[in-house]
Amino acid sequence: MRWWWREVIGLVLPGACGGCGRGGTPSLCEVCARALCGHGGRRVRPVPEPVGLPVVCAAAPYADAVRAVLLGHKERGALGLARPLGVALAGAVRASVAASGGSGGRPLLLVPVPSARRVVRARGHDATRRVALAAAAELRRTGKAARVLPLLRQRRAVADQAGLGARERLANLAGALEVTPGGGRQAAAGRPVLVDDLMTTGASLVEAARALRASLEPPFGACVRVSAAVVAAPPLSFEINRN
């Protein structure tokens, strides 16, 4: 609730674009909205690509307006940006499912990668879960059964990832996540897609995929595919896919 006053102000005063800062726009101007949501979703691979990374699709490169929108929502509590971020994530979810064999007509289960509790407390909101809920709503609006399934939780403390290299991040997160009791059975009832706002080295998605796959015991997990979708990824993660 710490950011409630921002929401009230947004209802009574002219807004500014969350991407470029231009005044008189509801949340995003047309140009920044196109940068965030205009590409649907594309396959991304970090450099280097870690072992165990599922198929990952992203909506946009993490730069310029897209970076400003993500930071505005996550770090500065601009909660009105959750909806356009959710639209972008929904596009990445669709691309991820298509790139990894489809859904087989099963409902999409968006599984957020959890943030540390101390981080959520410091921000005053769970940014990833909020965007996941907006993405699920967008998918339902366009005719696809979808819901958010917060199955993952941290089982041990991890160090701050800032300043760590790719290998250090993998080591830091190895074994850090687990699935809540009964979560494997819930995930097997649909098509699980790991979701996050940003992929950098891919370490968080590798650990999340490991924990989720480990919970999908036979016979429930025999035909369940796990893929991932994020709002943004480094530009180089897109560049490598042109070769």
Side-chain angles (χ1 to χ4, degrees), residues 25-234:
T25 62
S27 58
L28 285 181
C29 70
E30 184 178 344
V31 173
C32 292
R34 191 181 308 116
L36 178 65
C37 306
H39 303 290
R42 291 174 285 174
R43 180 80 182 268
V44 288
R45 296 180 176 91
V47 183
E49 182 175 357
V51 175
L53 185 73
V55 170
V56 186
C57 288
Y62 185 62
D64 303 326
V66 172
R67 181 178 184 274
V69 172
L70 279 170
L71 291 177
H73 175 257
K74 182 162 62 176
E75 304 294 350
R76 293 189 287 276
L79 304 186
L81 295 172
R83 187 177 182 279
L85 286 168
V87 172
L89 182 59
V93 168
R94 294 187 195 96
S96 174
V97 171
S100 56
S103 66
R106 308 173 71 153
L108 300 183
L109 306 176
L110 309 192
V111 181
V113 176
S115 300
R117 291 180 181 178
R118 68 179 184 280
V119 173
V120 174
R121 286 196 299 268
R123 290 173 178 159
H125 70 122
D126 189 333
T128 303
R129 187 169 181 177
R130 185 183 296 275
V131 174
L133 288 167
E138 173 65 13
L139 290 165
R140 291 193 299 271
R141 188 188 69 81
T142 55
K144 184 63 181 178
R147 64 189 178 100
V148 175
L149 205 59
L151 299 177
L152 295 172
R153 65 185 182 188
Q154 290 196 330
R155 61 188 297 267
R156 65 167 177 82
V158 298
D160 189 342
Q161 296 276 81
L164 298 182
R167 291 184 180 180
E168 294 170 318
R169 289 189 177 206
L170 286 169
N172 183 42
L173 292 173
L177 299 180
E178 65 181 1
V179 172
T180 55
R185 187 181 293 267
Q186 294 180 65
R191 174 60 161 82
V193 183
L194 296 166
V195 294
D196 207 347
D197 58 352
L198 175 66
M199 181 191 73
T200 50
T201 65
S204 296
L205 292 175
V206 167
E207 172 57 18
R210 180 208 61 77
L212 186 55
R213 286 167 178 152
S215 74
L216 295 170
E217 300 177 356
F220 305 107
C223 59
V224 177
R225 298 182 180 91
V226 177
S227 62
V230 297
V231 174

